[in-house]
Amino acid sequence: MTANKTVLITGTSSGIGKAAVKLFQASGWNVVATMRTPEKETELQQLDRVLVTALDVTKQESIEEAIAKGVAKFGTIDVLINNAGFGMMGLIEASSEELMQRIFDVNVFGVVRTTKAILPHFRARGEGLIVNVSSMVGRACFPFQALYHATKHALEGFTEDSQYELNPLGIRVKLVEPGGVATDFLTSLEQTGDGGIADYKDSLEKYFLAVQAYAEKLSTPEQIAQVVFEAATDNSDQLRYWAGEDAKQLLAARKAMNDRDFYQMIAEQFGVQ
Ligand SMILES: NC(=O)c1ccc[n+]([C@@H]2O[C@H](COP(=O)([O-])OP(=O)(O)OC[C@H]3O[C@@H](n4cnc5c(N)ncnc54)[C@H](OP(=O)(O)O)[C@@H]3O)[C@@H](O)[C@H]2O)c1
């Protein structure tokens, strides 16, 4: 793709989304940088060709308004990047109904809503590209993040399926699958705690030790934004992009190993056997 195309990105207040705004802008793109609280944003507001505007992926109306504002300002939207999302770790038994509903509402239905909202625009133009920020855990699981991993698996299925529906209309879809990234995501992970259930104590302790050791493998948000940019601009029909050395290693192992050996490897790595 060439300069002066327009991208709309969700969840740009921090992390991968914010890094992606800066990269696309620096590469000559118009950017609709959307977030829940644009009034708090000061840095992106200063950039040329960047429209900072409100979008909450749980609110259909705010999605439609952000798209309309982007089209009014830049004429068209060429690429939608569904990046907004949050993670959680903790016990299935200790997960509240509210958290279960909210994580699917943001990480899965949020993407479905933005996709539904942009499709009339893309269909009218006979082209468009949607890049969904998934995770390596959309393809391979760790312990104690069952609900978060379930959302990313759902996102993978939604995206993989949507290619059959949308490709014939000139609309392409892509998945970026980052490994661990040093962003607010890791500090803001919603934790369910141990629910006061002693049976999980040993496993949880070993798990948290393994998670701490993982810190050295994290990518930067800028490295992941680079892969998002590549997915948006390489003009290929490649569906999946592994992002980060840890993701490449894990997903290559997932492909190469049989199920039983892979599950055994993960259980050993996290000390949960
Ligand atoms: N960090 C990792 O290790 C990692 C690994 C693999 C995949 N990912 C994925 O990468 C994406 C970006 O995460 P990040 O690591 O950059 O974390 P981050 O810095 O916490 O960014 C997440 C963004 O999502 C936004 N968001 C949350 N709920 C929203 C809603 N209802 N509507 C609109 N925006 C909402 C947040 O906005 P607020 O500021 O308003 O909360 C924030 O801008 C997520 O989809 C995440 O699952 C992250």
Side-chain angles (χ1 to χ4, degrees):
M1 286 194 190
T2 54
N4 285 325
K5 296 216 167 202
T6 301
V7 59
L8 185 149
I9 310 174
T10 66
T12 63
S13 65
S14 60
I16 298 166
K18 189 167 193 168
V21 173
K22 292 183 190 171
L23 179 57
F24 276 89
Q25 191 273 346
S27 307
W29 286 61
N30 305 317
V31 185
V32 188
T34 72
M35 59 190 73
R36 288 192 290 187
T37 50
E39 61 281 6
K40 288 189 192 158
E41 173 56 50
T42 51
E43 194 186 355
L44 300 181
Q45 301 273 17
Q46 312 297 324
L47 300 176
D48 283 345
R49 290 174 282 97
V50 173
L51 171 66
V52 177
T53 194
L55 189 159
D56 182 332
V57 298
T58 66
K59 299 192 168 79
Q60 191 72 40
E61 211 177 278
S62 90
I63 296 169
E64 282 162 16
E65 273 174 22
I67 291 172
K69 283 182 186 166
V71 172
K73 171 113 177 135
F74 297 121
T76 57
I77 293 170
D78 301 275
V79 178
L80 165 67
I81 297 176
N82 285 308
N83 164 73
F86 72 94
M88 60 176 282
M89 62 171 68
L91 300 180
I92 296 162
E93 283 190 72
S95 305
S96 69
E97 180 68 26
E98 187 276 331
L99 187 52
M100 286 171 3
Q101 299 285 349
R102 182 155 50 91
I103 198 161
F104 272 83
D105 202 22
V106 174
N107 292 6
V108 183
F109 302 130
V111 174
V112 178
R113 288 187 194 101
T114 56
T115 301
K116 283 178 70 175
I118 200 78
L119 282 178
H121 182 65
F122 283 177
R123 273 193 297 104
R125 303 183 60 233
E127 64 177 353
L129 172 63
I130 301 171
V131 180
N132 292 334
V133 179
S134 175
S135 169
M136 65 180 173
V137 301
R139 306 273 281 165
C141 297
F142 298 159
F144 297 124
Q145 297 190 21
L147 280 161
Y148 175 59
H149 294 196
T151 66
K152 293 301 187 184
H153 273 66
L155 178 60
E156 295 269 337
F158 173 73
T159 312
E160 185 172 317
D161 188 274
S162 65
Q163 66 182 339
Y164 303 116
E165 191 167 325
L166 301 178
N167 285 356
L169 306 180
I171 302 164
R172 288 173 299 136
V173 294
K174 301 205 168 209
L175 282 158
V176 172
E177 299 169 331
V181 194
T183 65
D184 290 354
F185 177 90
L186 296 175
T187 44
S188 65
L189 276 174
E190 303 222 23
Q191 298 193 20
T192 64
D194 65 6
I197 308 167
D199 290 344
Y200 298 104
K201 190 167 175 289
D202 283 354
S203 292
L204 276 173
E205 279 172 5
K206 288 179 190 148
Y207 164 75
F208 280 116
L209 285 176
V211 168
Q212 278 165 21
Y214 203 87
E216 65 194 33
K217 295 188 185 172
L218 300 180
S219 299
T220 64
E222 288 74 24
Q223 287 171 318
I224 306 303
Q226 194 66 50
V227 180
V228 172
F229 186 77
E230 183 194 333
T233 56
D234 70 1
N235 279 321
S236 79
D237 59 3
Q238 183 179 333
L239 178 65
R240 291 189 165 86
Y241 294 73
W242 299 349
E245 285 313 308
D246 57 334
K248 287 176 189 167
Q249 275 174 22
L250 184 82
L251 293 172
R254 184 72 190 92
K255 244 184 169 166
M257 296 168 77
N258 67 45
D259 284 359
R260 181 194 294 224
D261 289 349
F262 183 81
Y263 303 151
Q264 181 64 25
M265 180 187 79
I266 295 290
E268 274 170 24
Q269 191 179 332
F270 287 91
V272 290
Q273 326 173 61

